[in-house]
Amino acid sequence: MKINPTRMESVQSPIIPVVGELIRQNPGTISLGQGVVSYSPPPQSFAKIPEFLANPDNHKYKAVEGIPALQDVIATKLKADNGIEINRNNSIVVTAGSNMGFINAILAITVAGDEVIIQSPYYFNHEMAIIMANCRPVIVATDENYQLNLERIKTAITDKTRAIVTISPNNPTGVVYSTESLREVNELCRQHNIYHISDEAYEYFTYDGVKHFSPAAFPHSSEHTISLFTLSKAYGFASWRIGYMVIPEKLLVSVRKIQDTILICPPVISQYVALGALQGGREYCDNYVRAIASVRQLVLQELNHLQNYCTISPAAGAFYFFLKIDTQIDTMELVEQLIREYKVAVLPGTTFGMENGCYLRIAFGALDSGTCVAGISRLVTGLKTILGA
């Protein structure tokens, strides 16, 4: 059978499985690649499983937007942690992770040929989802410290623009956008009658006194703001696949159609486990964030040995550093060499849209202090040797 071209041919292939295969081919490699944490969900999460099993009705489909008990505890969390009030103007939809929330949002607000503004370096799954929806990602460069460039964003808005996407704390750079810059983006969206899609997957991961802010907490923002959250990072919930979105009420019918078609409902057992996690509160997460903050300091100390070889921009959030390497070596070639010869894996900046120059993303969220020191030491040694040759 002849295979005809499809929209997927213009979508990049995820880099993480490629790097994962290189790691498997080189046993003993320490991964500074995938953005995950090392810890598991809190114990009280699993106390909800007998409750799930006790009701035979739980083996049937449940509400598309999530079970009522989880909706309620999310609403409480949003008010306490994010300053977001759930009212008649907005709605919560429980999703299978925030990536699903993003594709839900894109499909709900666009038609083929529309434009969505994303910041570079961008999160690759966002760019991929926009292209899958037959829309065009409009890529706007951030400034030299990877902060939002409002003038470039303003210039990029056209009559086809349907949304501006921000990720704060940011993947892949680790920067946290200021409240004022988020306010300006949100106001731009209101003025142009477009949506502000705010990805807040790393909301609890901030350091050095820097605070995260949710744009949906701005007054009069609920009509044009779509907020994406997940338990994957803060609660060690990656494989359980539970996130949630806060959307304008007017989008609820559309999002229900999309989610019912793709998913029907998020896994109900995972929703029960999520309920237990959120009822326990963010103190569980904060304890681990403090540990990750200590690892982050170790990473910074080691990276300082690379100051003559790369630029390390300030990063006060998430669990990433994004390095600009002073070399003409092809980025993927450098990644492969680091894995083969120095047994340390990082992700190439090309997958985040950085085609001009050599960039590497370092992830440290899954490492204990011992592994971290070993991994970063290998990276520093490898880069010094390769670039100094």
Side-chain angles (χ1 to χ4, degrees), residues 128-190:
M128 293 164 68
I130 293 164
I131 294 172
M132 286 180 194
N134 277 355
C135 294
R136 186 170 82 89
V138 175
I139 299 165
V140 173
T142 49
D143 69 15
E144 64 276 8
N145 290 319
Y146 304 121
Q147 292 287 335
L148 297 171
N149 190 313
L150 273 298
E151 291 307 312
R152 290 175 184 161
I153 292 172
K154 290 175 186 176
T155 302
I157 297 173
T158 72
D159 58 0
K160 290 187 175 182
T161 304
R162 294 295 169 263
I164 300 172
V165 179
T166 59
I167 309 171
S168 183
N170 188 260
N171 178 11
T173 65
V175 305
V176 180
Y177 299 147
S178 70
T179 301
E180 189 51 41
S181 64
L182 290 170
R183 187 192 311 276
E184 291 187 51
V185 169
N186 199 263
E187 177 60 17
L188 266 180
C189 292
R190 187 193 66 79

Side-chain angles (χ1 to χ4, degrees), residues 179-388:
T179 301
E180 189 51 41
S181 64
L182 290 170
R183 187 192 311 276
E184 291 187 51
V185 169
N186 199 263
E187 177 60 17
L188 266 180
C189 292
R190 187 193 66 79
Q191 291 173 0
H192 289 272
N193 195 32
I194 59 180
Y195 292 96
H196 182 179
I197 302 177
S198 174
D199 187 329
E200 303 176 39
Y202 301 89
E203 58 178 323
Y204 294 161
F205 296 88
T206 59
Y207 317 99
D208 300 333
V210 174
K211 301 295 183 184
H212 163 70
F213 189 84
S214 296
F218 291 129
H220 315 297
S221 65
S222 58
E223 287 288 312
H224 61 273
T225 307
I226 298 170
S227 305
L228 308 179
F229 300 93
T230 182
L231 277 70
S232 292
K233 312 300 181 184
Y235 285 93
F237 232 74
S239 71
W240 289 90
R241 308 312 305 137
I242 292 293
Y244 51 98
M245 55 195 308
V246 181
I247 61 174
E249 179 67 23
K250 61 190 175 186
L251 293 180
L252 182 57
V253 171
S254 295
V255 170
R256 277 175 174 158
K257 291 178 184 177
I258 297 159
Q259 185 145 297
D260 184 68
T261 300
I262 298 173
L263 185 68
I264 298 182
C265 66
V268 179
I269 191 169
S270 294
Q271 292 189 64
Y272 269 77
V273 176
L275 176 60
L278 290 174
Q279 285 175 337
R282 66 174 289 179
E283 183 179 353
Y284 176 82
C285 313
D286 288 342
N287 287 333
Y288 284 104
V289 172
R290 283 190 285 271
I292 291 173
S294 297
V295 171
R296 174 179 173 271
Q297 286 303 119
L298 293 173
V299 173
L300 270 175
Q301 290 170 20
E302 289 297 315
L303 290 180
N304 283 334
H305 297 300
L306 289 174
Q307 288 182 348
N308 294 331
Y309 300 91
C310 67
T311 302
I312 308 164
S313 293
F319 33 73
Y320 306 114
F321 286 107
F322 202 66
L323 308 187
K324 182 180 181 181
I325 311 298
D326 185 16
T327 182
Q328 298 300 313
I329 299 173
D330 176 78
T331 308
M332 194 61 199
E333 182 182 322
L334 179 59
V335 169
E336 291 181 9
Q337 191 171 356
L338 286 168
I339 294 173
R340 288 195 310 269
E341 298 178 17
Y342 297 93
K343 297 293 197 302
V344 62
V346 292
L347 293 191
T350 47
T351 199
F352 304 101
M354 303 300 277
E355 299 288 347
N356 296 321
C358 183
Y359 297 82
L360 302 175
R361 191 193 77 173
I362 298 171
F364 54 86
L367 305 179
D368 58 34
S369 57
T371 308
C372 168
V373 170
I376 296 296
S377 177
R378 293 180 189 184
L379 178 67
V380 169
T381 299
L383 288 175
K384 279 185 171 182
T385 305
I386 295 167
L387 301 179

